[in-house]
Every structure is written in structure tokens, then in C-alpha cells.
Amino acid sequence: AMRLEKCYFCSSTIYPGHGIMFVRNDSKVFRFCRSKCHRNFKQKRNPRKVRWTKAYRKAHGKELAKDPVFEFEKRRNVPVKYDRELYAKTLKAMRKVETIRTARENRFKAKRTQIAKLIQNKQARAEIKRDINLIMAPLAQKKSKMEVKERVTQESKMSMETG
């Protein structure tokens, strides 16, 4: 079986024969998918503050962070004796879990984009309201100014007649 590791810095998948393994003096093993991740780790950068990492995306609400589906991805070190039925069931379950996860991610992304669209519409309305003189035709502006002047003159005449 092929063991796929996760990059310590960016959480991407590391395939066999790829990446860099760094072992600290206390024998803690860090695996990196590429030199970019290794370099950032050596510079003591926090993955939660570096925008392109998975940790940043989860910490800032860009991706689904808490979901029971992630429990299936956890690493298990106990070897299991080969059983054909068990493997068939496991593969079936993995496919089902994958479909559930993608559906949940799609719902999450749709919700995020919906909120973003509302904010964008609100900003656009405010901008239009602020800069309406750039949008309206000059003739229409003159008409509206004339209408305002007419109303003011009519109101002043009415106030003089009553006063």
C-alpha cells in the first residue's frame, strides 16, 4: 500500500519519493511537499498567517473547518489483516464519504459567495447613490433641477398668499 503523507506547512499531499523530510533534534519528523514549504518553515513563518496554506484558509473561514467527514482522513497506524470484503466495503464507504464531502463543500462555497454578492450589491448601490450625477444624462439633470425650482417657487407663492 502506498502511504501518502501530508505537508507539515501547507497540508498538501506528499507522494512517495517526493518532498523533503526534516528531523529535529528531539526526533520530531516534519515532512514538506516542496522547498517553498521547507523554506517558510525554516524562516519560522506561521502557516495560519501565510495566505496560500490550508491552515490560513480554514482559520479565516475560506474553507470548511469543522466537519465530521474529516475524521475519516485521520492517520491510523494499526495494520489491518487483508480481507477482501472489508476492502470492498471500505472503498464503497470512501466513495460515499467523498460525495458527501464535496456536496458539503459546494454548499459552503455557495453560501460564502451569496454573502459576498449581497455585500457587493450593497456597495454598488451606495456608489451609484453617491455618484448619480455621473450616471444621469445632463438633460435629465436640468429637468430635475427645473422641477425643483418650480416646486420652490410654487411653495413660496403659496406661503405668500397664505401669509
Side-chain angles (χ1 to χ4, degrees), residues 95-129:
R95 286 189 200 106
K96 198 170 190 175
V97 165
E98 185 63 32
T99 56
I100 291 168
R101 197 180 89 214
T102 52
R104 284 182 181 172
E105 282 179 0
N106 290 338
R107 282 198 302 268
F108 179 77
K109 287 175 185 172
K111 190 176 179 184
R112 269 188 61 233
T113 52
Q114 191 177 27
I115 293 168
K117 280 182 184 175
L118 290 172
I119 293 168
Q120 201 173 22
N121 286 344
K122 195 174 184 180
Q123 289 173 343
R125 283 194 194 100
E127 189 177 353
I128 288 170
K129 195 172 186 179

Side-chain angles (χ1 to χ4, degrees), residues 3-7 12-16 18-19 31-33:
R3 173 157 278 185
L4 302 178
E5 305 287 347
K6 290 281 181 193
C7 177
S12 66
T13 309
I14 306 170
Y15 290 92
H18 292 259
R31 294 176 189 275
F32 304 102
C33 58

Side-chain angles (χ1 to χ4, degrees), residues 79-88:
V80 180
K81 192 175 178 187
Y82 179 74
D83 181 12
R84 193 175 200 158
E85 276 186 47
L86 179 68
Y87 268 81

Side-chain angles (χ1 to χ4, degrees), residues 23-143:
V23 183
R24 207 164 50 189
N25 286 344
D26 62 352
S27 69
K28 170 121 172 69
V29 177
F30 300 93
R31 294 176 189 275
F32 304 102
C33 58
R34 54 187 181 260
S35 60
K36 178 182 182 180
C37 297
H38 188 215
R39 201 170 49 241
N40 278 297
F41 175 79
K42 286 193 293 188
Q43 290 173 1
K44 297 187 176 177
R45 291 215 174 117
N46 187 347
R48 285 172 293 187
K49 292 184 181 176
V50 180
R51 294 190 75 142
W52 51 268
T53 61
K54 198 90 159 172
Y56 175 90
R57 294 187 62 75
K58 284 186 178 180
H60 291 81
K62 309 287 183 194
E63 281 185 12
L64 220 55
K66 294 174 189 165
D67 196 25
V69 173
F70 295 131
E71 293 296 317
F72 293 109
E73 278 188 20
K74 284 190 177 172
R75 186 173 166 181
R76 291 163 186 84
N77 288 323
V78 181
V80 180
K81 192 175 178 187
Y82 179 74
D83 181 12
R84 193 175 200 158
E85 276 186 47
L86 179 68
Y87 268 81
K89 284 181 183 177
T90 305
L91 288 173
K92 204 174 196 179
M94 284 168 68
R95 286 189 200 106
K96 198 170 190 175
V97 165
E98 185 63 32
T99 56
I100 291 168
R101 197 180 89 214
T102 52
R104 284 182 181 172
E105 282 179 0
N106 290 338
R107 282 198 302 268
F108 179 77
K109 287 175 185 172
K111 190 176 179 184
R112 269 188 61 233
T113 52
Q114 191 177 27
I115 293 168
K117 280 182 184 175
L118 290 172
I119 293 168
Q120 201 173 22
N121 286 344
K122 195 174 184 180
Q123 289 173 343
R125 283 194 194 100
E127 189 177 353
I128 288 170
K129 195 172 186 179
R130 187 184 68 223
D131 299 327
I132 192 74
N133 60 334
L134 300 173
I135 299 168
M136 281 180 67
L139 206 68
Q141 284 181 331
K142 282 184 181 178
K143 282 184 181 177

